[in-house]
Amino acid sequence: MESRSHHVGPKVRDVNRAPAPKWQEGEVIGIVVETPETNTLKVRLSEPTGYLAGQYFNIRIPVEGRPRPIQRAYSVGSSPTEGLEVVDFGIRETEGGLVSPVLVRNTPIGTKLEVRGPYGDFTWQEMDQSPVLLIGAGSGVVPLKSIIRYALDKGTDVKMALLYSSKSAEYVIYDEELREMLSKAPWLRVYHTFTRDASDATAHYHRRIDKEMIAEVYGQLEPKLAFICGPPEMVEDAESALIALGMDPKMVKSEKYD
Ligand SMILES: Cc1cc2nc3c(=O)[nH]c(=O)nc-3n(C[C@H](O)[C@H](O)[C@H](O)COP(=O)(O)OP(=O)(O)OC[C@H]3O[C@@H](n4cnc5c(N)ncnc54)[C@H](O)[C@@H]3O)c2cc1C
């Protein structure tokens, strides 16, 4: 399966004018275990190209029994404000998958990976519209965290809200970092929903993201721009919900992890 992305909304400036990215070597220089199925790989690029918060790279690796390396898309979880040489990829193991289980379970520090990027216009910069609603499920939070970190580092005070679905507290990617950013950013709200733990009172909701939930968060933020990232079905349902609430479809950006 080839990775694809789907985009609506304004085109990216700057980075899209650069020449098409080429494959380069990236070395894994750090690993952070985020959840039982997700690791952050800190990858040092041999030829840092620059990127915008929310963009992704392709990673390709040799896979046993396959004549050619297999590539998949992975969003950058770090922000360009943290430096361009090392990028963080937040990778969730898809059971039975060809690439992600290798990246999560069998990619030690020192591994050399082939990476190519950046790609995508699922990006936010300080001159873009706000308030900003971010909706993510599972590893869909990766580019959304990059956007929040970017906004924080840039010293903006635009209103942002993250509606984030995880199985349970144990599966919240970037839990600690989200708390740290919340403590520094009075303009930020984070609404957790846990789909497999109905009793954890630290979550605002205990079900999958649905239109009633989106309407509640929407009503509190009144967003002008929205970013939705995660499994295709969730992304499509959330897009429809936001448009039904009155958002301009051009202001609803989405990234489907299919
Ligand atoms: C723009 C973009 C950004 C992304 N960013 C991230 C990110 O930041 N983090 C992240 O974790 N993911 C991200 N993804 C998803 C990622 O690209 C991969 O799709 C994901 O890691 C799964 O790849 P895989 O090779 O492990 O699984 P695949 O080999 O693609 O398999 C996926 C599933 O299909 C099943 N399958 C495969 N072949 C068959 C078959 N023949 N019959 C039946 N079932 C089959 C597998 O068992 C598995 O469950 C992103 C995707 C896109 C498009």
PDB file of all heavy atoms in Angstrom, residues 1 3-5 56 72-75 90-92 94-101 139 142 255-258, ligand 1:
ATOM      1  N   MET A   1       0.839  -1.194   0.000  1.00  0.00           N
ATOM      2  CA  MET A   1       0.000   0.000   0.000  1.00  0.00           C
ATOM      3  C   MET A   1       0.876   1.247   0.000  1.00  0.00           C
ATOM      4  O   MET A   1       1.744   1.393   0.837  1.00  0.00           O
ATOM      5  CB  MET A   1      -0.877  -0.011   1.257  1.00  0.00           C
ATOM      6  CG  MET A   1      -1.822   1.153   1.333  1.00  0.00           C
ATOM      7  SD  MET A   1      -2.879   1.046   2.792  1.00  0.00           S
ATOM      8  CE  MET A   1      -1.711   1.394   4.102  1.00  0.00           C
ATOM      9  N   SER A   3       1.566   5.202   0.601  1.00  0.00           N
ATOM     10  CA  SER A   3       0.995   6.229   1.459  1.00  0.00           C
ATOM     11  C   SER A   3       0.495   7.383   0.610  1.00  0.00           C
ATOM     12  O   SER A   3       1.123   7.775  -0.363  1.00  0.00           O
ATOM     13  CB  SER A   3       2.056   6.732   2.426  1.00  0.00           C
ATOM     14  OG  SER A   3       2.395   5.701   3.302  1.00  0.00           O
ATOM     15  N   ARG A   4      -0.648   7.883   0.981  1.00  0.00           N
ATOM     16  CA  ARG A   4      -1.196   9.030   0.274  1.00  0.00           C
ATOM     17  C   ARG A   4      -1.592  10.075   1.298  1.00  0.00           C
ATOM     18  O   ARG A   4      -1.807   9.776   2.445  1.00  0.00           O
ATOM     19  CB  ARG A   4      -2.461   8.631  -0.499  1.00  0.00           C
ATOM     20  CG  ARG A   4      -2.213   7.661  -1.616  1.00  0.00           C
ATOM     21  CD  ARG A   4      -3.523   7.279  -2.271  1.00  0.00           C
ATOM     22  NE  ARG A   4      -4.433   6.632  -1.355  1.00  0.00           N
ATOM     23  CZ  ARG A   4      -4.361   5.343  -1.053  1.00  0.00           C
ATOM     24  NH1 ARG A   4      -3.438   4.586  -1.583  1.00  0.00           N
ATOM     25  NH2 ARG A   4      -5.215   4.814  -0.212  1.00  0.00           N
ATOM     26  N   SER A   5      -1.715  11.312   0.858  1.00  0.00           N
ATOM     27  CA  SER A   5      -2.288  12.313   1.749  1.00  0.00           C
ATOM     28  C   SER A   5      -3.318  13.103   0.966  1.00  0.00           C
ATOM     29  O   SER A   5      -3.281  13.160  -0.253  1.00  0.00           O
ATOM     30  CB  SER A   5      -1.222  13.242   2.309  1.00  0.00           C
ATOM     31  OG  SER A   5      -0.680  14.017   1.300  1.00  0.00           O
ATOM     32  N   TYR A  56       5.273  16.058   6.616  1.00  0.00           N
ATOM     33  CA  TYR A  56       5.717  14.677   6.806  1.00  0.00           C
ATOM     34  C   TYR A  56       6.886  14.340   5.887  1.00  0.00           C
ATOM     35  O   TYR A  56       7.176  15.068   4.928  1.00  0.00           O
ATOM     36  CB  TYR A  56       4.560  13.693   6.577  1.00  0.00           C
ATOM     37  CG  TYR A  56       4.088  13.573   5.142  1.00  0.00           C
ATOM     38  CD1 TYR A  56       4.612  12.607   4.293  1.00  0.00           C
ATOM     39  CD2 TYR A  56       3.114  14.425   4.635  1.00  0.00           C
ATOM     40  CE1 TYR A  56       4.184  12.496   2.973  1.00  0.00           C
ATOM     41  CE2 TYR A  56       2.676  14.319   3.318  1.00  0.00           C
ATOM     42  CZ  TYR A  56       3.217  13.356   2.493  1.00  0.00           C
ATOM     43  OH  TYR A  56       2.800  13.259   1.190  1.00  0.00           O
ATOM     44  N   ARG A  72       6.913   4.403   3.562  1.00  0.00           N
ATOM     45  CA  ARG A  72       5.692   4.873   4.213  1.00  0.00           C
ATOM     46  C   ARG A  72       5.899   6.328   4.613  1.00  0.00           C
ATOM     47  O   ARG A  72       7.034   6.771   4.802  1.00  0.00           O
ATOM     48  CB  ARG A  72       5.392   4.061   5.484  1.00  0.00           C
ATOM     49  CG  ARG A  72       5.114   2.591   5.245  1.00  0.00           C
ATOM     50  CD  ARG A  72       3.733   2.357   4.650  1.00  0.00           C
ATOM     51  NE  ARG A  72       3.458   0.938   4.472  1.00  0.00           N
ATOM     52  CZ  ARG A  72       3.564   0.285   3.315  1.00  0.00           C
ATOM     53  NH1 ARG A  72       3.953   0.932   2.224  1.00  0.00           N
ATOM     54  NH2 ARG A  72       3.278  -1.000   3.243  1.00  0.00           N
ATOM     55  N   ALA A  73       4.788   7.044   4.801  1.00  0.00           N
ATOM     56  CA  ALA A  73       4.842   8.455   5.204  1.00  0.00           C
ATOM     57  C   ALA A  73       4.772   8.551   6.728  1.00  0.00           C
ATOM     58  O   ALA A  73       3.977   7.840   7.350  1.00  0.00           O
ATOM     59  CB  ALA A  73       3.660   9.195   4.591  1.00  0.00           C
ATOM     60  N   TYR A  74       5.592   9.414   7.312  1.00  0.00           N
ATOM     61  CA  TYR A  74       5.517   9.664   8.756  1.00  0.00           C
ATOM     62  C   TYR A  74       5.635  11.161   9.026  1.00  0.00           C
ATOM     63  O   TYR A  74       6.574  11.817   8.570  1.00  0.00           O
ATOM     64  CB  TYR A  74       6.602   8.871   9.506  1.00  0.00           C
ATOM     65  CG  TYR A  74       6.304   7.387   9.445  1.00  0.00           C
ATOM     66  CD1 TYR A  74       6.950   6.564   8.537  1.00  0.00           C
ATOM     67  CD2 TYR A  74       5.293   6.842  10.233  1.00  0.00           C
ATOM     68  CE1 TYR A  74       6.615   5.216   8.426  1.00  0.00           C
ATOM     69  CE2 TYR A  74       4.949   5.493  10.127  1.00  0.00           C
ATOM     70  CZ  TYR A  74       5.614   4.692   9.227  1.00  0.00           C
ATOM     71  OH  TYR A  74       5.262   3.368   9.113  1.00  0.00           O
ATOM     72  N   SER A  75       4.668  11.664   9.786  1.00  0.00           N
ATOM     73  CA  SER A  75       4.651  13.087  10.123  1.00  0.00           C
ATOM     74  C   SER A  75       5.773  13.408  11.091  1.00  0.00           C
ATOM     75  O   SER A  75       6.192  12.561  11.880  1.00  0.00           O
ATOM     76  CB  SER A  75       3.322  13.451  10.785  1.00  0.00           C
ATOM     77  OG  SER A  75       2.253  13.149   9.926  1.00  0.00           O
ATOM     78  N   GLY A  90       6.885  10.216  15.222  1.00  0.00           N
ATOM     79  CA  GLY A  90       6.106   9.454  16.210  1.00  0.00           C
ATOM     80  C   GLY A  90       5.449   8.299  15.483  1.00  0.00           C
ATOM     81  O   GLY A  90       4.506   8.502  14.720  1.00  0.00           O
ATOM     82  N   ILE A  91       5.955   7.089  15.713  1.00  0.00           N
ATOM     83  CA  ILE A  91       5.518   5.959  14.885  1.00  0.00           C
ATOM     84  C   ILE A  91       4.775   4.924  15.721  1.00  0.00           C
ATOM     85  O   ILE A  91       5.297   4.420  16.717  1.00  0.00           O
ATOM     86  CB  ILE A  91       6.728   5.321  14.177  1.00  0.00           C
ATOM     87  CG1 ILE A  91       7.390   6.406  13.314  1.00  0.00           C
ATOM     88  CG2 ILE A  91       6.288   4.129  13.329  1.00  0.00           C
ATOM     89  CD1 ILE A  91       8.689   6.016  12.702  1.00  0.00           C
ATOM     90  N   ARG A  92       3.541   4.643  15.299  1.00  0.00           N
ATOM     91  CA  ARG A  92       2.719   3.645  15.990  1.00  0.00           C
ATOM     92  C   ARG A  92       2.806   2.325  15.242  1.00  0.00           C
ATOM     93  O   ARG A  92       2.715   2.302  14.006  1.00  0.00           O
ATOM     94  CB  ARG A  92       1.260   4.111  16.028  1.00  0.00           C
ATOM     95  CG  ARG A  92       0.355   3.209  16.860  1.00  0.00           C
ATOM     96  CD  ARG A  92      -1.084   3.685  16.809  1.00  0.00           C
ATOM     97  NE  ARG A  92      -1.710   3.344  15.535  1.00  0.00           N
ATOM     98  CZ  ARG A  92      -2.320   2.189  15.280  1.00  0.00           C
ATOM     99  NH1 ARG A  92      -2.386   1.249  16.197  1.00  0.00           N
ATOM    100  NH2 ARG A  92      -2.865   1.966  14.100  1.00  0.00           N
ATOM    101  N   THR A  94       1.549  -0.692  13.547  1.00  0.00           N
ATOM    102  CA  THR A  94       0.323  -1.263  12.983  1.00  0.00           C
ATOM    103  C   THR A  94       0.525  -2.765  12.927  1.00  0.00           C
ATOM    104  O   THR A  94       1.422  -3.247  12.225  1.00  0.00           O
ATOM    105  CB  THR A  94       0.084  -0.731  11.547  1.00  0.00           C
ATOM    106  OG1 THR A  94      -0.018   0.690  11.606  1.00  0.00           O
ATOM    107  CG2 THR A  94      -1.177  -1.301  10.933  1.00  0.00           C
ATOM    108  N   GLU A  95      -0.290  -3.488  13.663  1.00  0.00           N
ATOM    109  CA  GLU A  95      -0.111  -4.941  13.732  1.00  0.00           C
ATOM    110  C   GLU A  95      -0.200  -5.567  12.339  1.00  0.00           C
ATOM    111  O   GLU A  95      -1.117  -5.243  11.578  1.00  0.00           O
ATOM    112  CB  GLU A  95      -1.197  -5.539  14.624  1.00  0.00           C
ATOM    113  CG  GLU A  95      -0.641  -6.522  15.628  1.00  0.00           C
ATOM    114  CD  GLU A  95      -1.714  -6.976  16.585  1.00  0.00           C
ATOM    115  OE1 GLU A  95      -2.087  -6.169  17.467  1.00  0.00           O
ATOM    116  OE2 GLU A  95      -2.170  -8.113  16.415  1.00  0.00           O
ATOM    117  N   GLY A  96       0.758  -6.403  11.999  1.00  0.00           N
ATOM    118  CA  GLY A  96       0.741  -7.065  10.697  1.00  0.00           C
ATOM    119  C   GLY A  96       1.278  -6.194   9.575  1.00  0.00           C
ATOM    120  O   GLY A  96       1.317  -6.623   8.423  1.00  0.00           O
ATOM    121  N   GLY A  97       1.686  -4.966   9.887  1.00  0.00           N
ATOM    122  CA  GLY A  97       2.201  -4.059   8.858  1.00  0.00           C
ATOM    123  C   GLY A  97       3.615  -4.428   8.444  1.00  0.00           C
ATOM    124  O   GLY A  97       4.321  -5.148   9.150  1.00  0.00           O
ATOM    125  N   LEU A  98       4.033  -3.903   7.294  1.00  0.00           N
ATOM    126  CA  LEU A  98       5.371  -4.218   6.787  1.00  0.00           C
ATOM    127  C   LEU A  98       6.444  -3.315   7.390  1.00  0.00           C
ATOM    128  O   LEU A  98       7.551  -3.755   7.671  1.00  0.00           O
ATOM    129  CB  LEU A  98       5.400  -4.040   5.257  1.00  0.00           C
ATOM    130  CG  LEU A  98       4.785  -5.149   4.413  1.00  0.00           C
ATOM    131  CD1 LEU A  98       4.819  -4.758   2.943  1.00  0.00           C
ATOM    132  CD2 LEU A  98       5.542  -6.457   4.634  1.00  0.00           C
ATOM    133  N   VAL A  99       6.126  -2.041   7.571  1.00  0.00           N
ATOM    134  CA  VAL A  99       7.169  -1.075   7.926  1.00  0.00           C
ATOM    135  C   VAL A  99       7.122  -0.661   9.399  1.00  0.00           C
ATOM    136  O   VAL A  99       8.148  -0.695  10.095  1.00  0.00           O
ATOM    137  CB  VAL A  99       7.066   0.176   7.004  1.00  0.00           C
ATOM    138  CG1 VAL A  99       8.028   1.272   7.451  1.00  0.00           C
ATOM    139  CG2 VAL A  99       7.355  -0.222   5.556  1.00  0.00           C
ATOM    140  N   SER A 100       5.936  -0.286   9.899  1.00  0.00           N
ATOM    141  CA  SER A 100       5.897   0.289  11.251  1.00  0.00           C
ATOM    142  C   SER A 100       6.369  -0.678  12.345  1.00  0.00           C
ATOM    143  O   SER A 100       7.067  -0.239  13.274  1.00  0.00           O
ATOM    144  CB  SER A 100       4.506   0.857  11.568  1.00  0.00           C
ATOM    145  OG  SER A 100       3.533  -0.163  11.567  1.00  0.00           O
ATOM    146  N   PRO A 101       6.068  -1.993  12.283  1.00  0.00           N
ATOM    147  CA  PRO A 101       6.585  -2.874  13.336  1.00  0.00           C
ATOM    148  C   PRO A 101       8.118  -2.890  13.374  1.00  0.00           C
ATOM    149  O   PRO A 101       8.720  -2.960  14.443  1.00  0.00           O
ATOM    150  CB  PRO A 101       6.022  -4.255  12.970  1.00  0.00           C
ATOM    151  CG  PRO A 101       4.801  -3.950  12.161  1.00  0.00           C
ATOM    152  CD  PRO A 101       5.161  -2.727  11.375  1.00  0.00           C
ATOM    153  N   SER A 139      -2.083   8.034  16.399  1.00  0.00           N
ATOM    154  CA  SER A 139      -0.855   8.714  15.967  1.00  0.00           C
ATOM    155  C   SER A 139      -1.157   9.961  15.142  1.00  0.00           C
ATOM    156  O   SER A 139      -0.244  10.711  14.790  1.00  0.00           O
ATOM    157  CB  SER A 139       0.044   7.749  15.187  1.00  0.00           C
ATOM    158  OG  SER A 139      -0.659   7.218  14.089  1.00  0.00           O
ATOM    159  N   VAL A 142       0.447  13.376  15.989  1.00  0.00           N
ATOM    160  CA  VAL A 142       1.861  13.730  15.761  1.00  0.00           C
ATOM    161  C   VAL A 142       2.021  15.110  15.099  1.00  0.00           C
ATOM    162  O   VAL A 142       2.677  15.995  15.657  1.00  0.00           O
ATOM    163  CB  VAL A 142       2.596  12.610  14.977  1.00  0.00           C
ATOM    164  CG1 VAL A 142       3.996  13.054  14.583  1.00  0.00           C
ATOM    165  CG2 VAL A 142       2.657  11.325  15.806  1.00  0.00           C
ATOM    166  N   GLU A 255      -5.553  15.194   6.987  1.00  0.00           N
ATOM    167  CA  GLU A 255      -4.490  14.252   6.636  1.00  0.00           C
ATOM    168  C   GLU A 255      -4.982  12.872   7.049  1.00  0.00           C
ATOM    169  O   GLU A 255      -5.260  12.630   8.226  1.00  0.00           O
ATOM    170  CB  GLU A 255      -3.236  14.611   7.442  1.00  0.00           C
ATOM    171  CG  GLU A 255      -1.998  13.891   6.997  1.00  0.00           C
ATOM    172  CD  GLU A 255      -1.125  14.742   6.080  1.00  0.00           C
ATOM    173  OE1 GLU A 255      -1.458  14.850   4.882  1.00  0.00           O
ATOM    174  OE2 GLU A 255      -0.138  15.291   6.561  1.00  0.00           O
ATOM    175  N   LYS A 256      -5.127  11.999   6.046  1.00  0.00           N
ATOM    176  CA  LYS A 256      -5.649  10.661   6.348  1.00  0.00           C
ATOM    177  C   LYS A 256      -4.499   9.671   6.413  1.00  0.00           C
ATOM    178  O   LYS A 256      -3.728   9.565   5.457  1.00  0.00           O
ATOM    179  CB  LYS A 256      -6.634  10.224   5.261  1.00  0.00           C
ATOM    180  CG  LYS A 256      -7.882  11.077   5.207  1.00  0.00           C
ATOM    181  CD  LYS A 256      -8.786  10.606   4.083  1.00  0.00           C
ATOM    182  CE  LYS A 256      -9.935  11.576   3.889  1.00  0.00           C
ATOM    183  NZ  LYS A 256     -10.753  11.245   2.726  1.00  0.00           N
ATOM    184  N   TYR A 257      -4.418   8.954   7.509  1.00  0.00           N
ATOM    185  CA  TYR A 257      -3.371   7.942   7.671  1.00  0.00           C
ATOM    186  C   TYR A 257      -3.876   6.609   7.138  1.00  0.00           C
ATOM    187  O   TYR A 257      -4.131   5.684   7.890  1.00  0.00           O
ATOM    188  CB  TYR A 257      -2.991   7.803   9.148  1.00  0.00           C
ATOM    189  CG  TYR A 257      -2.099   8.900   9.677  1.00  0.00           C
ATOM    190  CD1 TYR A 257      -1.737   9.990   8.915  1.00  0.00           C
ATOM    191  CD2 TYR A 257      -1.604   8.823  10.973  1.00  0.00           C
ATOM    192  CE1 TYR A 257      -0.919  10.986   9.417  1.00  0.00           C
ATOM    193  CE2 TYR A 257      -0.781   9.811  11.479  1.00  0.00           C
ATOM    194  CZ  TYR A 257      -0.445  10.890  10.699  1.00  0.00           C
ATOM    195  OH  TYR A 257       0.364  11.863  11.213  1.00  0.00           O
ATOM    196  N   ASP A 258      -4.073   6.518   5.812  1.00  0.00           N
ATOM    197  CA  ASP A 258      -4.546   5.236   5.271  1.00  0.00           C
ATOM    198  C   ASP A 258      -3.377   4.443   4.710  1.00  0.00           C
ATOM    199  O   ASP A 258      -2.256   4.903   4.677  1.00  0.00           O
ATOM    200  CB  ASP A 258      -5.617   5.452   4.205  1.00  0.00           C
ATOM    201  CG  ASP A 258      -5.202   6.477   3.144  1.00  0.00           C
ATOM    202  OD1 ASP A 258      -4.076   7.019   3.205  1.00  0.00           O
ATOM    203  OD2 ASP A 258      -6.018   6.723   2.257  1.00  0.00           O
TER     204      ASP A 258
HETATM  205  C1  LIG B   1       0.736  11.744   5.173  1.00  0.00           C
HETATM  206  C2  LIG B   1       0.799  10.584   6.141  1.00  0.00           C
HETATM  207  C3  LIG B   1       1.437  10.760   7.364  1.00  0.00           C
HETATM  208  C4  LIG B   1       1.510   9.693   8.262  1.00  0.00           C
HETATM  209  N1  LIG B   1       2.106   9.896   9.465  1.00  0.00           N
HETATM  210  C5  LIG B   1       2.147   8.898  10.372  1.00  0.00           C
HETATM  211  C6  LIG B   1       2.714   9.114  11.666  1.00  0.00           C
HETATM  212  O1  LIG B   1       3.171  10.210  12.009  1.00  0.00           O
HETATM  213  N2  LIG B   1       2.738   8.066  12.529  1.00  0.00           N
HETATM  214  C7  LIG B   1       2.234   6.833  12.195  1.00  0.00           C
HETATM  215  O2  LIG B   1       2.302   5.913  13.021  1.00  0.00           O
HETATM  216  N3  LIG B   1       1.685   6.615  10.978  1.00  0.00           N
HETATM  217  C8  LIG B   1       1.639   7.606  10.065  1.00  0.00           C
HETATM  218  N4  LIG B   1       1.086   7.373   8.827  1.00  0.00           N
HETATM  219  C9  LIG B   1       0.687   5.997   8.466  1.00  0.00           C
HETATM  220  C10 LIG B   1       1.921   5.256   7.889  1.00  0.00           C
HETATM  221  O3  LIG B   1       2.317   5.865   6.675  1.00  0.00           O
HETATM  222  C11 LIG B   1       1.645   3.777   7.576  1.00  0.00           C
HETATM  223  O4  LIG B   1       0.484   3.687   6.785  1.00  0.00           O
HETATM  224  C12 LIG B   1       1.484   2.927   8.826  1.00  0.00           C
HETATM  225  O5  LIG B   1       2.647   3.007   9.643  1.00  0.00           O
HETATM  226  C13 LIG B   1       1.265   1.443   8.449  1.00  0.00           C
HETATM  227  O6  LIG B   1       2.322   1.009   7.643  1.00  0.00           O
HETATM  228  P1  LIG B   1       2.851  -0.491   7.717  1.00  0.00           P
HETATM  229  O7  LIG B   1       3.832  -0.682   6.617  1.00  0.00           O
HETATM  230  O8  LIG B   1       3.296  -0.830   9.094  1.00  0.00           O
HETATM  231  O9  LIG B   1       1.552  -1.326   7.460  1.00  0.00           O
HETATM  232  P2  LIG B   1       1.043  -1.919   6.033  1.00  0.00           P
HETATM  233  O10 LIG B   1       2.000  -2.926   5.520  1.00  0.00           O
HETATM  234  O11 LIG B   1       0.710  -0.782   5.145  1.00  0.00           O
HETATM  235  O12 LIG B   1      -0.265  -2.647   6.501  1.00  0.00           O
HETATM  236  C14 LIG B   1      -1.348  -1.908   7.070  1.00  0.00           C
HETATM  237  C15 LIG B   1      -2.413  -2.877   7.545  1.00  0.00           C
HETATM  238  O13 LIG B   1      -2.946  -3.578   6.443  1.00  0.00           O
HETATM  239  C16 LIG B   1      -2.843  -4.966   6.663  1.00  0.00           C
HETATM  240  N5  LIG B   1      -2.483  -5.607   5.384  1.00  0.00           N
HETATM  241  C17 LIG B   1      -1.375  -5.398   4.643  1.00  0.00           C
HETATM  242  N6  LIG B   1      -1.413  -6.142   3.533  1.00  0.00           N
HETATM  243  C18 LIG B   1      -2.568  -6.834   3.581  1.00  0.00           C
HETATM  244  C19 LIG B   1      -3.186  -7.776   2.730  1.00  0.00           C
HETATM  245  N7  LIG B   1      -2.625  -8.161   1.591  1.00  0.00           N
HETATM  246  N8  LIG B   1      -4.384  -8.272   3.100  1.00  0.00           N
HETATM  247  C20 LIG B   1      -4.977  -7.894   4.241  1.00  0.00           C
HETATM  248  N9  LIG B   1      -4.437  -7.012   5.086  1.00  0.00           N
HETATM  249  C21 LIG B   1      -3.258  -6.497   4.757  1.00  0.00           C
HETATM  250  C22 LIG B   1      -1.749  -5.155   7.692  1.00  0.00           C
HETATM  251  O14 LIG B   1      -1.955  -6.323   8.466  1.00  0.00           O
HETATM  252  C23 LIG B   1      -1.891  -3.925   8.531  1.00  0.00           C
HETATM  253  O15 LIG B   1      -2.843  -4.101   9.551  1.00  0.00           O
HETATM  254  C24 LIG B   1       0.966   8.432   7.927  1.00  0.00           C
HETATM  255  C25 LIG B   1       0.328   8.268   6.686  1.00  0.00           C
HETATM  256  C26 LIG B   1       0.231   9.321   5.819  1.00  0.00           C
HETATM  257  C27 LIG B   1      -0.465   9.111   4.492  1.00  0.00           C
END
